[in-house]
Each structure stands twice: as C-alpha cells, then as structure tokens.
Amino acid sequence: VAKCFPLAILSFQIQSMKPDTKIYEAAIERCGVRPESIFFMDDKIENVAGALATGIDAVLFRDAAELMDQLNQRGVIV
C-alpha cells in the first residue's frame, strides 16, 4: 500500500480528525495538487461529506469490488 500511497496524513500531527475539514485541507496542501485530483473513500458518510466539502473527489466505501471499480474509473492501476 505504501508504494501506491507514499504520503500519509496522520491526525495526531495535524491535531484534527475526520470529518473536520482541517485534516482534508492539510492533505490538499501536502499533496500540492488541486482538491478534485485527490481520491478519498471512507465507510462513514460524514467523513465522505467532510472531504467533499473541501472539493476532494470522495465516495462512500461499500465493498472491495466497488473500490476497485472506483479506482479503475479514475485510471488507477492496482
């Protein structure tokens, strides 16, 4: 997983937890890209809503097959 996602945002470092927008804003800043180019998936709708509020491309996790489909739709090869 670390090879696919070399950047981690840890809540204790940011002093913020999902769904607070501060943690998503930190991720956007650290990535150095536009929010809509960041993909976020979570099994809690409030966390998805927090990401969406900052412009991040976010979807609700339901199962692994859907995750693979969502990644494939975005051109991520896994």
Side-chain angles (χ1 to χ4, degrees):
V1 174
K3 290 180 184 178
C4 292
F5 306 102
L7 178 63
I9 305 298
L10 305 174
S11 59
F12 76 92
Q13 292 173 330
I14 305 302
Q15 298 181 349
S16 174
M17 293 176 57
K18 301 176 289 184
D20 182 14
T21 57
K22 182 179 175 184
I23 197 161
Y24 304 105
E25 291 165 352
I28 294 165
E29 183 179 329
R30 286 222 184 136
C31 288
V33 297
R34 296 170 50 124
E36 60 271 13
S37 68
I38 298 173
F39 176 69
F40 176 81
M41 181 177 266
D42 199 288
D43 63 344
K44 294 184 178 179
I45 192 69
E46 61 269 20
N47 295 341
V48 172
L52 289 170
T54 62
I56 291 175
D57 175 16
V59 296
L60 185 64
F61 176 82
R62 292 186 177 88
D63 58 50
E66 183 179 0
L67 170 58
M68 294 301 291
D69 182 53
Q70 293 289 340
L71 291 172
N72 286 331
Q73 287 180 36
R74 289 159 177 83
V76 177
I77 300 169
V78 289

